[in-house]
């Protein structure tokens, strides 16, 4: 008697679904936008040249009124009817970093990480540069007061 592989009776068991969140027979899988914002934030912070996410005056004021968690400051996630994400992220760039390159690398990293973790397409990642910051350990990062400026000669 030859030993062979038994064919599966249900063809859906033979191949995994193309999208795990699109299985209506099993129920819905929904990802809260705060979760996506957390992914965006962590992906951006791993990019070289990014000193921080959010922290602008608008985020500070809206946090007071909306009681948003600090993990989601500086990130806005919207979704269209076709389940595509549109992301806006506000960055603080490290002093000396090339702003355009840092913003581009952030767009790529965010799109890759969000798509990989959620299985959904990211149509747009808008990057808004909120500021520049000296990073700890960078030359000149220590606190300097205005007393170090020379007095004007009379």
């Amino acid at each position: 008697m030859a030993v062979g592989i038994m064919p599966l009776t249900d063809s859906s068991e033979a191949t995994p679904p193309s999208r795990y969140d699109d299985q209506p027979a099993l129920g819905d899988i929904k990802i809260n936008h705060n979760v996506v914002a957390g992914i965006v934030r962590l992906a951006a912070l791993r990019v070289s040249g990014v000193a921080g996410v959010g922290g602008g005056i608008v985020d500070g004021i809206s946090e007071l009124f909306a009681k948003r968690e600090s993990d989601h400051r500086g990130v806005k996630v919207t979704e269209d009817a076709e389940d595509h994400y549109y992301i806006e992220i506000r960055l603080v760039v490290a002093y000396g970093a090339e702003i355009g390159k840092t913003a581009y690398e952030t767009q790529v990293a965010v799109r890759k990480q969000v798509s990989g973790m959620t299985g959904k397409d990211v149509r747009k990642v808008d990057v808004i540069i909120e500021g520049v910051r000296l990073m700890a350990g960078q030359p000149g990062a220590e606190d300097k007061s205005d007393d170090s400026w020379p007095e004007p000669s009379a």
Side-chain angles (χ1 to χ4, degrees):
M1 173 180 229
V3 177
I5 298 176
M6 298 288 292
L8 295 172
T9 57
D10 184 4
S11 64
S12 67
E13 292 179 30
T15 58
S18 59
R19 278 187 46 184
Y20 290 101
D21 64 340
D22 191 19
Q23 302 301 313
L26 297 175
D28 292 334
I29 297 174
K30 298 184 187 235
I31 303 169
N32 189 305
H33 286 180
N34 287 339
V35 173
V36 177
I39 295 168
V40 169
R41 194 173 163 73
L42 291 171
L45 289 171
R46 295 184 70 187
V47 173
S48 176
V50 174
V53 176
I57 186 83
V58 173
D59 284 323
I61 293 170
S62 65
E63 184 180 348
L64 291 173
F65 294 109
K67 297 192 180 212
R68 292 190 299 172
E69 295 178 28
S70 62
D71 283 349
H72 311 300
R73 288 185 325 169
V75 179
K76 179 180 173 186
V77 178
T78 56
E79 194 172 354
D80 65 15
E82 289 83 35
D83 288 338
H84 301 126
Y85 288 125
Y86 295 83
I87 297 167
E88 178 183 289
I89 182 168
R90 297 176 179 274
L91 296 181
V92 177
V93 177
Y95 178 77
E98 187 178 334
I99 293 174
K101 180 180 178 189
T102 302
Y104 171 76
E105 288 175 354
T106 301
Q107 288 174 316
V108 171
V110 164
R111 175 175 276 163
K112 179 180 177 185
Q113 199 64 34
V114 171
S115 292
M117 291 184 74
T118 65
K120 294 184 180 183
D121 185 36
V122 176
R123 286 288 168 100
K124 192 174 184 183
V125 179
D126 291 328
V127 176
I128 300 167
I129 306 300
E130 289 272 314
V132 177
R133 181 183 311 151
L134 277 173
M135 300 297 291
Q138 273 185 309
E142 60 275 351
D143 186 27
K144 292 185 177 182
S145 67
D146 286 340
D147 294 339
S148 63
W149 289 91
E151 292 292 321
S153 54

